[in-house]
Amino acid sequence: MNLIKYYGDLVGRQGLIVAGLNSNKKSLETFTAAHNYLTDYESLRVAIDDRPEKAVADLALKEYQFSLLALASGQYRYAFGGLRLFFELMLSVVRFSAHEIDLRMWLCDSKDINWESLKNLDSGVFSVNFMRAFNPAFAEFGRQFSAISESVYRECSEYVHGNAGTHTLLPSEIAFDETAHLAWCEKSAAMRQAIVFAFAARYLNYVSPEGMRRMESVVVDVVGYLSPVQMVYGKSCEA
């Protein structure tokens, strides 16, 4: 077997997958939206430009781009895995902002990121205690975004752990699959909601007026219906 030709042919199939994506209107629209979320996340980063947790956000966005590449290449299982890692890292940004010692330990490979600590009902990033510490007005809404986060994380984990059902949902060979593609995009959109909420609750009380202005479009677009956001961006939310 000519291994170079074999793997070259597999890479060539990825071009056919991109073509299939391009010819499917709904899939192309959702992929474009998911790609454009990068701009939203860049807008959120203004809140942490001068903070140590920015390094984690940089890594998270790199993983998101790799996940997008895997999605466009038909590597769906790995796209879901990359998406889950991105989500863990982005929520860890928020948690690390309140636990800098954990951030320092993580950066020197002496502490792991733990999903249980991120979702913890008493101390996690959506908990009442955490929200009250930084922006009490958001505390009453944390539970609904915690539920969104838990659900989408669990769904991505099914692909990471190779649950039996995922083998029937994914194509058996490298090929474009609309169902898998749209499932990834739905999870990406749900994560965007949770991430924007978490960043707004944690940082809006602490960013400069210019930072608030730069965050405005994404915060209002995603969670502008929440009363604390309307208090901050009232005119924009009513428009």
Side-chain angles (χ1 to χ4, degrees), residues 135-210:
N135 199 328
F138 281 84
E140 66 179 290
F141 305 104
R143 185 172 293 274
Q144 70 187 73
F145 289 94
S146 177
I148 291 171
S149 299
E150 178 69 8
S151 176
V152 73
Y153 184 87
R154 183 181 66 252
E155 290 165 1
C156 284
S157 294
E158 292 175 357
Y159 293 91
V160 173
H161 298 307
N163 287 22
T166 65
H167 293 278
T168 60
L169 292 172
L170 298 179
S172 58
E173 57 183 23
I174 298 176
F176 173 70
D177 187 276
E178 181 182 14
T179 300
H181 175 93
L182 294 178
W184 186 98
C185 290
E186 288 173 2
K187 290 168 180 52
S188 176
M191 289 178 182
R192 175 174 174 256
Q193 292 182 54
I195 290 167
V196 172
F197 173 81
F199 268 69
R202 168 60 183 88
Y203 294 110
L204 275 183
N205 273 351
Y206 304 94
V207 297
S208 66
E210 172 62 15

Side-chain angles (χ1 to χ4, degrees), residues 81-123:
L83 189 63
R84 192 186 78 158
L85 175 56
F86 155 76
F87 193 43
E88 285 181 314
L89 289 170
M90 284 298 278
L91 293 185
S92 292
V93 169
V94 177
R95 187 177 189 282
F96 283 149
S97 73
H99 303 277
E100 188 173 338
I101 188 171
D102 289 344
L103 169 60
R104 300 296 179 182
M105 292 173 68
W106 181 78
L107 288 171
C108 65
D109 272 343
S110 58
K111 188 176 183 67
D112 295 334
I113 287 175
N114 184 283
W115 176 250
E116 293 300 319
S117 67
L118 293 174
K119 71 163 188 172
N120 187 281
L121 294 178
D122 295 319
S123 60

Side-chain angles (χ1 to χ4, degrees), residues 14-31:
Q14 295 175 357
L16 298 176
I17 295 169
V18 173
L21 169 60
N22 187 52
S23 64
N24 185 300
K25 182 179 179 181
K26 186 174 182 180
S27 294
L28 182 59
E29 288 176 350
T30 54
F31 183 80

